[in-house]
Amino acid sequence: MKTKFSGILTLLLAFVVQLTFAQEKTISGTVSDGSGLPLPGVNILVKGTTTGTQTDFDGNYTIQANTGDDLAFTYLGLKAKTVKVGASSTINVTLEEDTAVLDEVVVTALGIKRKKDEVTTAYQEVKTEELVKANNPSVINSLAGKVSGLAI
């Protein structure tokens, strides 16, 4: 009788241990922007791990995560968002624009990127309106005569 009780107790203990390890589940959902359009290529990472994925062309994703984990959603030009995994296996996320991230950059002849106020050499700026006024189908030909030292 004692052997049967030990065997059942061992089996029960193994079952409980199996349940504690089986908390990882598949999370899926859609990532969209403020206007409701799906965002392709959003990075989704389980914080504290190297597990991650990206959204497909329609903004859909699937990832394996445990209940209580934090999912970090990041996309260039939009504010990053962190969502905690709960009981639901579907998490839809809307990312907001982050205008502070978009900054004007000047690329010099050597390929060095700098902010506009950090450039110590002379440079010229061509506005879009000037290119449109030229009414030329080629952007390169529209630049002719607008920038000094530009040979076309």
Side-chain angles (χ1 to χ4, degrees):
M1 179 72 175
K2 195 171 189 179
T3 308
K4 282 186 178 182
F5 183 69
S6 287
I8 292 173
L9 188 60
T10 304
L11 187 60
L12 182 64
L13 181 63
F15 181 67
V16 169
V17 168
Q18 180 65 25
L19 284 177
T20 59
F21 286 125
Q23 291 187 6
E24 189 172 54
K25 59 183 178 177
T26 302
I27 309 295
S28 62
T30 304
V31 181
S32 58
D33 61 2
S35 61
L37 295 172
L39 292 171
V42 175
N43 294 317
I44 303 142
L45 184 68
V46 179
K47 280 197 170 181
T49 67
T50 57
T51 305
T53 187
Q54 283 190 332
T55 57
D56 62 7
F57 186 73
D58 297 322
N60 300 318
Y61 72 94
T62 57
I63 191 168
Q64 297 287 328
N66 294 324
T67 303
D69 283 344
D70 290 327
L71 296 179
F73 296 84
T74 56
Y75 192 74
L76 186 64
L78 300 176
K79 291 181 183 177
K81 190 170 190 177
T82 303
V83 178
K84 187 170 281 297
V85 176
S88 176
S89 62
T90 302
I91 299 175
N92 295 325
V93 176
T94 302
L95 298 178
E96 301 172 6
E97 287 187 31
D98 189 8
T99 55
V101 173
L102 302 175
D103 203 4
E104 189 173 58
V105 174
V106 175
V107 179
T108 63
L110 299 175
I112 301 169
K113 296 179 183 177
R114 295 191 176 146
K115 291 185 180 179
K116 190 175 182 180
D117 57 346
E118 294 175 346
V119 177
T120 57
T121 59
Y123 66 93
Q124 285 184 299
E125 184 176 307
V126 179
K127 303 255 186 220
T128 309
E129 296 83 28
E130 294 176 31
L131 295 176
V132 172
K133 283 181 188 176
N135 200 14
N136 198 324
S138 172
V139 176
I140 295 172
N141 290 336
S142 298
L143 286 172
K146 305 258 188 307
V147 179
S148 63
L150 179 66
I152 299 176

